[in-house]
C-alpha cells in the first residue's frame, strides 16, 4: 500500500505485529542477545560514506528489524522519499516541494519544480557566494572607509542561525583564524551587545540571514546593528551596502530594509529553514572555511543522499536510525533521545538537531489533520562528552526512564592540536566506548557483591544496563564528514515523519507564540492591556509594568 492509500498507523497489521512482538520479547536483555549471537556486533553494523554505525547495543532482534522493515514498506517510506527527491510537493500544508537535497546536487543533475530545473540556480548562487567569500577572505572586499573586513557577524535565528553556528563551531579547525566570526540570534539585546564587543564598525560585515526576512528577532537585531554601524562610522545610509549582505528568499523585504539586493544571496521556498545551512544561509560559514571546504561539505551531504536513495533497507543507515527511534517511542515509552558527541567541536550539534527533529516531527495530527494516537517526535537533547558524564549520566545509568542515545566519536582529533593535547584523544574515546558498554551491560548484583560491597549498598551500586545506544564512528571530523552526519539525521527525521504520517516540513506550532508576543508587547511599554488576556498573564503583565514603573 502506498503512502496515499495507507490506513491509520496503529490499525496497520505491521504495527500490530510489532506490538505483539514487543510483548513476546518481554524483558529482553542485551547481555543475552550478545551471548546468544557471537556475530551480533559485526552483523548489526552499517557503513555510510565515512561513517560506521554500530547499532548492536539496541534492544532489537532480527525479528524486530524484519518487522520494522515491513512497517517502513507498508507506510510508503521509499515512495515518499522518491517523491521528495523528485521535487513533488510533499509539504502538503504549505503546498511546497521539499528539496534541500537539490542544494547539494551535482551541476549536471536535473531536478524540476513545476517543470523548471532548479539545479542551475543552486549552482549560480553557490558560485556567487564563492566569489564573495573569496573577496572577503582575501581582503578585496572593503568597507565604507576602505578597510578590509576582519569581523563577520551573522544575524539570524532558528535555521538561519543554528546550522551555520553549529557548522562554524564544528569546523573551527578549518576556519581562517584571522577572521572573527560571531553569531547573534536572540532578541535579548544582550546577545548583540556582547557580539559587538571589541569590534570596529569599519572592519565589520553583517550577514543578515532570514528566509522570510520578516522574523522579528532578526529584523530588530539587524536594525540595531545598522544603527551601531552608521553611528560608529559617522556615515549615512550609503555605508550599508559595504557592510550588510542578506541571505533570503524575500528580495522585496531585503530592499525595504535598505540592503542592496545585489548583495543578496537567494534561496527558495522549497528549502525549509532547518534544512537550509547548505544553501545561501551558509555564507558566514563559507567565508570562515572557504568555498573549497564548503563544497567538500556538500559532497558529504550528497554521499548520504545517494546512500539513502539507493542502499537496500537492511543497510540503509537513516532508515535504521529512524526505525529504531520509532520502536523505542512506541513500544518502550521512550520520551527523549540523547545525542552525545564525543567531540568538543560538535558542542552545538545537539541544539542544531533539536530544531531539525523537534520542529519537524513535534506534531500531533496526521497528514489528513486527524489526531494521532501514537508517539511522534521525541525530546532531543545532549551535550558533548565527557562533560555530560559528570552531570546527567547518573540518570541515564540508574534513572527510571529509558533514554536511547547516539554516541558520536572520531578515531582522530582534528588537525592542529599540540601533540600533548592530541594525545588526550584516546582518553576521550575510551570514555565513549566505556559509556556504551556500561549503559548496555551494566553491572549485575553478583558482580557488585563479588567486590565485597556491603549488602545494604548493593542495590545502589548495581547497574541494570540494557540502556540502548547507537555508536557512530568516523575517522575524523572533516567538512565532508560533518555534511554526512547532518544528512544522516535529516533523513532519519524524514523516515520517522513518513512512518508517523505527519508533515515534517511545516512548523505551524511556532506561530501562536509569535502572534501573542506582538499583541502583548504594547502593554509592556505602557500601552493598553490587550483584550482577552487571561488572568494569570494579565497579573504578570501588571507586575512587570509596576516593576518597570510604567
Ligand atoms: O519560528 C520558526 C522559524 O520559522 C524557523 O522554522 C526558521 O528557521 C526560523 O523561524 C527563522 O526564520 P527566518 O529564516 O525566516 O528568519
Amino acid at each position: 500500500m502506498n503512502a496515499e492509500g495507507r490506513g491509520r498507523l496503529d490499525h496497520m497489521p505491521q504495527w500490530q505485529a510489532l506490538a505483539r512482538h514487543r510483548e513476546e520479547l518481554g524483558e529482553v536483555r542485551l547481555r543475552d542477545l550478545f551471548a546468544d549471537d557471537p556475530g551480533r556486533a559485526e552483523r548489526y553494523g552499517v557503513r555510510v560514506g565515512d561513517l560506521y554505525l554500530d547499532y548492536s547495543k539496541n534492544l532489537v532482534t532480527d525479528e524486530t528489524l524484519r518487522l520494522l522493515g515491513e512497517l517502513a514498506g507498508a507506510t510508503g517510506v521509499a515512495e515518499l522519499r522518491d517523491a521528495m527527491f523528485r521535487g513533488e510537493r510533499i509539504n502538503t500544508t504549505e503546498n511546497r516541494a521539499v528539496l534541500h537535497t537539490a542544494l547539494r546536487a551535482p551541476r549536471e543533475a536535473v531536478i524540476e519544480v513545476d517543470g523548471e530545473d532548479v539545479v542551475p540556480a543552486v549552482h549560480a548562487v553557490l558560485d556567487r557566494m564563492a566569489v564573495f567569500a573569496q573577496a572577503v577572505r582575501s581582503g578585496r572586499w572593503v568597507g565604507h572607509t576602505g578597510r578590509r573586513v576582519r569581523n563577520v557577524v551573522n544575524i539570524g535565528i532558528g535555521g538561519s542561525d543554528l546550522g551555520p553556528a553549529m557548522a562554524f563551531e564544528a569546523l573551527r579547525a578549518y576556519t581562517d583564524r584571522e577572521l572573527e566570526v560571531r553569531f547573534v540570534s536572540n532578541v535579548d539585546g544582550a546577545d548583540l551587545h556582547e557580539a559587538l564587543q571589541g569590534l570596529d564598525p569599519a572592519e565589520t560585515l553583517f550577514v543578515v540571514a532570514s528566509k522570510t526576512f520578516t522574523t522579528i528577532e532578526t529584523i530588530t537585531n539587524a536594525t540595531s546593528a545598522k544603527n551601531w554601524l552608521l553611528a560608529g562610522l559617522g556615515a549615512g545610509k550609503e555605508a550599508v551596502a559595504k557592510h550588510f549582505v542578506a541571505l533570503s528568499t524575500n528580495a522585496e523585504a531585503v530592499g525595504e530594509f535598505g540592503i542592496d539586493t545585489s548583495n543578496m544571496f537567494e534561496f527558495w521556498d522549497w528549502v525549509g529553514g532547518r534544512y537550509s545551512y547548505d544553501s545561501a544561509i551558509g555564507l558566514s560559514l563559507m567565508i570562515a572555511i572557504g568555498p573549497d571546504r564548503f563544497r567538500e561539505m556538500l559532497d558529504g551531504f550528497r554521499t548520504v543522499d545517494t546512500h539513502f536513495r539507493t542502499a537496500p533497507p537492511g543497510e540503509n543507515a537513516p532508515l535504521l536510525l529512524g526505525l529504531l527511534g520509532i520502536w523505542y517511542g512506541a513500544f518502550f515509552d521512550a520520551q527523549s533521545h540523547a545525542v552525545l558527541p564525543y567531540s568538543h567541536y560538535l558542542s552545538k550539534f545537539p541544539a542544531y538537531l533539536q530544531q531539525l527533529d523537534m520542529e519537524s516531527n513535534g506534531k500531533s495530527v496526521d497528514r489528513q489533520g486527524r489526531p494521532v494516537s501514537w508517539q511522534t517526535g521525541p525530546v532531543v537533547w545532549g551535550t558533548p562528552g565527557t562533560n555530560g558524564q559528570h552531570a546527567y549520566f547518573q540518570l541515564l545509568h540508574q534513572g527510571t526512564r529509558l533514554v536511547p542515545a547516539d554516541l558520536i566519536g572520531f578515531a582522530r582529533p582534528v588537525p592542529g592540536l599540540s601533540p600533548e593535547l592530541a594525545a588526550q584523544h584516546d582518553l576521550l574515546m575510551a570514555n565513549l566506548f566505556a559509556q556504551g558498554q556500561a549503559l548496555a551491560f551494566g553491572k549485575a548484583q553478583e558482580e557488585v557483591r563479588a567486590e565485597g560491597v556491603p549488602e545494604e549498598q548493593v542495590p545502589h551500586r548495581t547497574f541494570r544496563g540494557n540502556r540502548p545506544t547507537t555508536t557512530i564512528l568516523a575517522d575524523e571530523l572533516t567538512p565532508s564528514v560533518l555534511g554526512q552526519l547532518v544528512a544522516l539525521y535529516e533523513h532519519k527525521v524524514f523516515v520517522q515523519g513518513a512512518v508517523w504520517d505527519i508533515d515534517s516540513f511545516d512548523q505551524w506550532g511556532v506561530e501562536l507564540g509569535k502572534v501573542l508576543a506582538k499583541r502583548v508587547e504594547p502593554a509592556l511599554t505602557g500601552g493598553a492591556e490587550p483584550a482577552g488576556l487571561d488572568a494569570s498573564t494579565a497579573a504578570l503583565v501588571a507586575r512587570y509594568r509596576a516593576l518597570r514603573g510604567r
Side-chain angles (χ1 to χ4, degrees), residues 233-314:
L233 292 179
K237 282 192 187 124
E238 68 286 355
V240 170
K242 288 290 178 192
H243 292 268
F244 273 80
V245 295
L247 321 174
S248 189
T249 59
N250 187 349
E252 201 182 328
V254 168
E256 273 166 26
F257 180 84
I259 297 179
D260 187 343
T261 45
S262 63
N263 294 337
M264 166 177 157
F265 299 85
E266 78 171 315
F267 61 114
W268 307 273
D269 74 357
W270 39 261
V271 182
R274 52 195 175 273
Y275 298 86
S276 69
Y277 96 80
D278 49 342
S279 71
I281 289 293
L283 183 68
S284 298
L285 173 69
M286 190 193 270
I287 293 172
I289 63 173
D292 292 344
R293 297 297 194 189
F294 195 88
R295 286 188 195 279
E296 283 171 31
M297 186 186 74
L298 296 183
D299 291 345
F301 274 95
R302 189 160 64 237
T303 299
V304 176
D305 292 346
T306 306
H307 167 95
F308 181 45
R309 267 177 40 209
T310 57

Side-chain angles (χ1 to χ4, degrees), residues 72-73 75-84 86 308 319 494 498:
T75 50
V77 174
E79 288 81 355
L80 195 68
R81 173 199 65 198
D82 294 343
M84 172 176 76
R86 274 196 305 270
F308 181 45
L319 183 68
F494 173 89

Side-chain angles (χ1 to χ4, degrees), residues 287-540:
I287 293 172
I289 63 173
D292 292 344
R293 297 297 194 189
F294 195 88
R295 286 188 195 279
E296 283 171 31
M297 186 186 74
L298 296 183
D299 291 345
F301 274 95
R302 189 160 64 237
T303 299
V304 176
D305 292 346
T306 306
H307 167 95
F308 181 45
R309 267 177 40 209
T310 57
E315 294 159 32
N316 197 306
L319 183 68
L320 281 163
L321 281 187
L323 292 173
L324 287 170
I326 289 167
W327 171 239
Y328 293 123
F331 303 111
F332 288 79
D333 198 26
Q335 302 293 314
S336 78
H337 184 91
V339 179
L340 309 168
Y342 278 67
S343 162
H344 204 70
Y345 287 105
L346 285 179
S347 60
K348 293 195 171 161
F349 195 55
Y352 169 75
L353 291 183
Q354 282 179 332
Q355 187 198 14
L356 179 68
D357 199 321
M358 294 165 78
E359 198 167 77
S360 295
N361 285 343
K363 312 283 165 65
S364 51
V365 294
D366 69 11
R367 286 196 188 90
Q368 284 72 42
R370 300 169 299 193
V372 298
S373 46
W374 47 91
Q375 292 283 357
T376 60
V379 175
V380 176
W381 61 282
T383 49
T386 57
N387 295 4
Q389 292 173 206
H390 299 271
Y392 49 78
F393 269 53
Q394 165 65 39
L395 182 148
L396 298 189
H397 285 288
Q398 290 188 315
T400 53
R401 295 171 196 278
L402 183 87
V403 183
D406 297 344
L407 302 167
I408 304 173
F410 303 91
R412 278 171 233 277
V414 297
L417 300 192
S418 69
E420 187 185 7
L421 295 180
Q424 293 180 200
H425 194 73
D426 294 331
L427 182 55
L428 174 72
M429 289 302 290
N431 274 277
L432 181 156
F433 296 131
Q435 289 300 328
Q437 193 186 357
L439 286 163
F441 305 112
K443 193 170 179 185
Q445 288 192 351
E446 309 79 67
E447 295 172 80
V448 180
R449 281 198 190 99
E451 287 176 353
V453 168
E455 194 53 33
E456 69 277 12
Q457 282 196 15
V458 169
H460 300 283
R461 294 169 65 167
T462 297
F463 292 67
R464 281 189 54 244
N466 244 19
R467 318 267 163 154
T469 58
T470 301
T471 303
I472 303 176
L473 191 60
D475 189 27
E476 199 178 314
L477 181 55
T478 60
S480 168
V481 164
L482 180 69
Q484 293 174 40
L485 267 177
V486 172
L488 176 69
Y489 281 95
E490 283 179 349
H491 297 320
K492 170 202 167 175
V493 167
F494 173 89
V495 166
Q496 297 190 330
V499 171
W500 288 326
D501 199 17
I502 56 181
D503 186 337
S504 298
F505 301 100
D506 62 16
Q507 58 285 316
W508 298 107
V510 298
E511 293 306 318
L512 178 61
K514 290 186 194 172
V515 172
L516 295 184
K518 242 186 213 159
R519 224 183 272 165
V520 168
E521 197 205 348
L524 302 189
T525 51
E529 187 183 286
L533 216 55
D534 67 90
S536 164
T537 312
L540 288 167

Side-chain angles (χ1 to χ4, degrees), residues 193-209:
H193 171 76
E194 291 300 333
L196 295 178
Q197 290 303 310
L199 302 191
D200 181 342
E203 299 180 342
T204 301
L205 175 74
F206 291 97
V207 176
V208 186

